[in-house]
Amino acid sequence: LNMSSSVMNISEHLSCPLGFGHYNAVDICILETVVIVLLTFLIIAGNLTVIFVFHCAPLLHHYTTSYFIQTMAYADLFVGVSCLVPTLSLLHYSTGVHESLTCQVFGYIISVLKSVSMACLACISVDRYLAITKPLSYNQLVTPCRLRICIILIWIYSCLIFLPSFFGWGKPGYHGDIFEWCATSWLTNAYFTGFIVCLLYAPAAFVICFTYFHIFKICRQHTKEINDRRARFPSHEVDAAGETGHGPDRRYAMVLFRITSVFYMLWLPYIIYFLLESSRVLENPALSFLTTWLAISNSFCNCVIYSLSNSV
């Protein structure tokens, strides 16, 4: 009886996005709790594994993109740690006076961390583009010092771009609200949403599409030239030249392209709903919850793609 009353008390205080009435509110809150707890565990465990692998395998640091992959792993790990906030609030809700501040800080942190991941994916695509288009001068262009500066700028830019949300200009983009104040009092703003799309989502997507299009175009052209040479001069020298060409770079680019594709497939529904809700065209609590946690699940999917795509 005490347990039932506690669960009922949770359902009364929490905003249950998937609930369709008081009758099944308890079941919906339990379902939400299970989903969030499971994702939190997978995100933390998966990214700790990635960080551990990089720590124990010094040879992986020879890849310049390892700087960005490790940054993404730390950002995703912090996403998992941040998800402990809604997890604990669902398991044991406390009616504090600082609910609005907790909600704002949580939404801001999640948005900043995912912005870091998005910016790192764009930088990875630029890095691979330079490696394939300028192989001779690549080591002079991309140095460890410049990579560290780039990562610092990514964090600063991500922190600044969502800062206006603290001054009452819109919501940084977190939906599927667990806290009641987030769901009822903190509304999205069409202008702020457009601001985020123009300065973050659209530039990152454009850079990624541009770089990978040219990467695969160059690799396809290079493969065609090697095949022509093999047809004209069938010798071991040409085969050796073909093996040392863009083959490894193309395979590596394919792994990173899969990571980027999965990222945008999981985040596209969220971005579309974010735009529609900000424009007051659509407001659906169920879609809000599902698109939010589908996007957050990407923090775990990266770890799966690493292991399935590249045994090294």
Side-chain angles (χ1 to χ4, degrees):
L1 288 174
N2 289 334
M3 188 181 219
S4 300
S5 62
S6 298
V7 174
M8 289 298 294
N9 187 42
I10 290 174
S11 66
E12 289 175 0
H13 287 85
L14 289 180
S15 166
C16 294
L18 297 182
F20 297 98
H22 185 73
Y23 178 75
N24 62 346
V26 176
D27 293 336
I28 295 301
C29 279
I30 293 174
L31 176 62
E32 290 179 16
T33 304
V34 170
V35 170
I36 296 173
V37 169
L38 179 62
L39 279 179
T40 301
F41 171 77
L42 291 176
I43 291 170
I44 293 176
N47 287 285
L48 280 176
T49 303
V50 173
I51 294 169
F52 177 77
V53 167
F54 271 98
H55 178 73
C56 296
L59 290 176
L60 290 175
H61 294 281
H62 290 240
Y63 294 98
T64 54
T65 49
S66 67
Y67 288 86
F68 296 112
I69 292 175
Q70 289 182 82
T71 301
M72 288 172 57
Y74 279 107
D76 290 335
L77 175 63
F78 292 144
V79 168
V81 174
S82 300
C83 288
L84 291 173
V85 174
T87 300
L88 294 175
S89 69
L90 280 169
L91 294 175
H92 181 69
Y93 182 77
S94 59
T95 56
V97 294
H98 300 295
E99 181 184 349
S100 60
L101 180 61
T102 303
C103 175
Q104 285 181 311
V105 171
F106 175 67
Y108 174 78
I109 290 175
I110 288 288
S111 299
V112 167
L113 293 174
K114 297 317 296 179
S115 173
V116 169
S117 294
M118 194 174 296
C120 282
L121 287 173
C123 289
I124 285 173
S125 69
V126 173
D127 176 81
R128 291 299 86 199
Y129 177 77
L130 292 175
I132 289 180
T133 58
K134 300 181 183 297
L136 299 179
S137 58
Y138 173 76
N139 290 330
Q140 287 75 34
L141 289 172
V142 182
T143 62
C145 180
R146 289 178 180 177
L147 287 171
R148 293 189 185 99
I149 292 174
C150 182
I151 290 171
I152 292 172
L153 291 176
I154 286 173
W155 281 98
I156 293 174
Y157 183 77
S158 299
C159 290
L160 291 177
I161 195 173
F162 291 102
L163 202 57
S165 63
F166 275 109
F167 301 97
W169 191 33
K171 200 174 184 178
Y174 176 69
H175 300 286
D177 305 299
I178 300 303
F179 300 102
E180 185 179 359
W181 187 88
C182 286
T184 59
S185 303
W186 198 15
L187 302 178
T188 54
N189 183 290
Y191 295 105
F192 183 69
T193 302
F195 171 77
I196 297 297
V197 169
C198 292
L199 293 185
L200 178 62
Y201 296 153
F206 174 78
V207 168
I208 288 169
C209 291
F210 175 85
T211 52
Y212 278 112
F213 173 79
H214 284 84
I215 285 171
F216 292 123
K217 181 180 177 181
I218 292 169
C219 289
R220 188 166 57 249
Q221 182 181 356
H222 187 266
T223 303
K224 183 176 180 298
E225 290 175 358
I226 289 179
N227 291 334
D228 291 341
R229 289 179 185 177
R230 284 176 178 171
R232 293 180 183 179
F233 312 102
S235 65
H236 296 289
E237 294 181 1
V238 176
D239 291 340
E243 290 299 324
T244 58
H246 288 312
D249 283 332
R250 186 181 183 182
R251 286 193 295 272
Y252 193 39
M254 278 299 298
V255 174
L256 300 171
F257 180 70
R258 291 190 194 107
I259 294 171
T260 306
S261 300
V262 171
F263 181 91
Y264 276 96
M265 281 191 291
L266 294 176
W267 273 84
L268 190 58
Y270 170 83
I271 294 172
I272 292 174
Y273 181 81
F274 184 31
L275 291 169
L276 293 176
E277 186 185 89
S278 301
S279 304
R280 303 295 183 265
V281 175
L282 176 65
E283 189 171 349
N284 188 304
L287 283 177
S288 175
F289 180 84
L290 292 174
T291 55
T292 296
W293 292 97
L294 182 67
I296 291 177
S297 69
N298 176 259
S299 298
F300 167 71
C301 292
N302 286 343
C303 313
V304 178
I305 298 170
Y306 295 148
S307 59
L308 293 180
S309 300
N310 193 333
S311 59
V312 177

